[in-house]
Amino acid sequence: MNRPSTEFEQIVLNYKKDNRKLVSRIYKTLVGVFQDPSRLLRESWESDLNMKIREEDWNKLFRQLSLKSISQNIQEHEIKMIQKWYYTPIRLQYINRNNSNICWSGCHGIGSYVHMWWSCRFVEKFWKKVEIEISNIFGKQFKLTIEMALLNLYVGSNRLWSANKWVNMVLIATRLVIAANWKDAKNIELRPWRIKVKDLLILEILT
């Protein structure tokens, strides 16, 4: 397994080692999940990102939803992103088995949420272009990571970028452009991205 185990998986994996009060442990876990709906969502993201998200970082994501921008469109996108609102080939196949789970952009990869936003070769190429643009603007290397790209989540040495509102807006603009080309990422170019970045920055300045 190349990702952290969820609490349910840990219970199952340790079942033979310690089966005492198994039902009680499962019940307590379920109660905890329903008391805190964001818990499952965080575990889902941890699985996708193959990393543990600190509780303080996770809570900060929700606190900053209304602080990143007063634009309702941006706030709506951020909420949709965190909640995994966007439909993917895999999700649609769960709904109807006749649907294909292959990426719509023609890269022949499995269309998971992370694939559609990050690892599709066409989307990855676009993110690389954005990474170079940011590096050129600031005159120093900007190393983009998946948690930064998808959640504006800064960990380790990248925490230094978290206070840079311009970088946050650029990453949001990038995701908005990807969303606009959701079913065909082959031809995503920097020109519409530059226009989107300019529009967002002007909006922020005016408001």
Side-chain angles (χ1 to χ4, degrees):
M1 184 179 294
N2 295 321
R3 59 171 175 78
S5 300
T6 66
E7 190 165 349
F8 282 109
E9 289 171 337
Q10 290 174 6
I11 291 175
V12 173
L13 289 172
N14 295 322
Y15 169 66
K16 292 184 179 180
K17 299 177 184 178
D18 182 12
N19 60 4
R20 294 170 298 176
K21 299 181 180 179
L22 178 63
V23 174
S24 176
R25 291 175 62 195
I26 293 175
Y27 173 78
K28 288 179 180 178
T29 302
L30 285 172
V31 169
V33 167
F34 287 112
Q35 287 179 342
D36 180 12
S38 72
R39 183 175 167 188
L40 278 181
L41 188 59
R42 186 175 77 179
E43 287 186 355
S44 176
W45 274 110
E46 288 177 336
S47 175
D48 284 346
L49 302 177
N50 192 27
M51 63 178 287
K52 280 290 185 182
I53 301 176
R54 298 190 312 173
E55 185 173 357
E56 57 198 87
D57 289 332
W58 181 251
N59 292 335
K60 185 178 179 180
L61 286 178
F62 285 90
R63 287 198 306 270
Q64 289 188 335
L65 282 177
S66 60
L67 299 177
K68 286 179 182 176
S69 172
I70 66 170
S71 166
Q72 290 186 346
N73 288 336
I74 292 178
Q75 291 183 25
E76 179 183 344
H77 163 74
E78 291 292 271
I79 293 171
K80 286 179 177 179
M81 193 69 197
I82 293 177
Q83 297 285 348
K84 295 189 174 183
W85 178 89
Y86 293 91
Y87 279 78
T88 64
I90 281 184
R91 187 174 178 184
L92 290 177
Q93 190 183 59
Y94 285 149
I95 297 172
N96 184 343
R97 288 296 176 182
N98 293 324
N99 292 325
S100 171
N101 65 358
I102 301 301
C103 176
W104 293 313
S105 295
C107 72
H108 307 297
I110 302 299
S112 66
Y113 202 77
V114 168
H115 176 88
M116 301 299 289
W117 282 107
W118 177 256
S119 57
C120 167
R121 71 171 185 268
F122 302 113
V123 175
E124 184 180 18
K125 181 179 178 181
F126 180 55
W127 279 114
K128 285 293 183 183
K129 291 179 180 179
V130 171
E131 184 180 61
I132 293 172
E133 288 283 308
I134 296 176
S135 297
N136 290 338
I137 290 170
F138 286 98
K140 59 181 179 179
Q141 185 177 14
F142 178 81
K143 183 62 177 177
L144 189 61
T145 62
I146 184 173
E147 65 272 10
M148 290 166 63
L150 304 193
L151 291 176
N152 286 80
L153 178 63
Y154 304 87
V155 299
S157 60
N158 287 325
R159 291 185 188 279
L160 296 174
W161 293 99
S162 63
N164 192 312
K165 192 170 185 179
W166 191 92
V167 172
N168 284 317
M169 286 294 105
V170 167
L171 296 178
I172 291 171
T174 306
R175 293 197 297 269
L176 289 172
V177 171
I178 293 173
N181 294 271
W182 192 237
K183 289 198 172 184
D184 185 11
K186 290 193 294 292
N187 300 311
I188 302 181
E189 295 293 340
L190 284 176
R191 184 175 180 276
W193 172 81
R194 291 191 180 104
I195 294 173
K196 179 62 70 175
V197 169
K198 181 180 177 181
D199 290 344
L200 291 186
L201 291 177
I202 291 175
L203 177 63
E204 291 305 305
I205 292 172
L206 292 178
T207 56

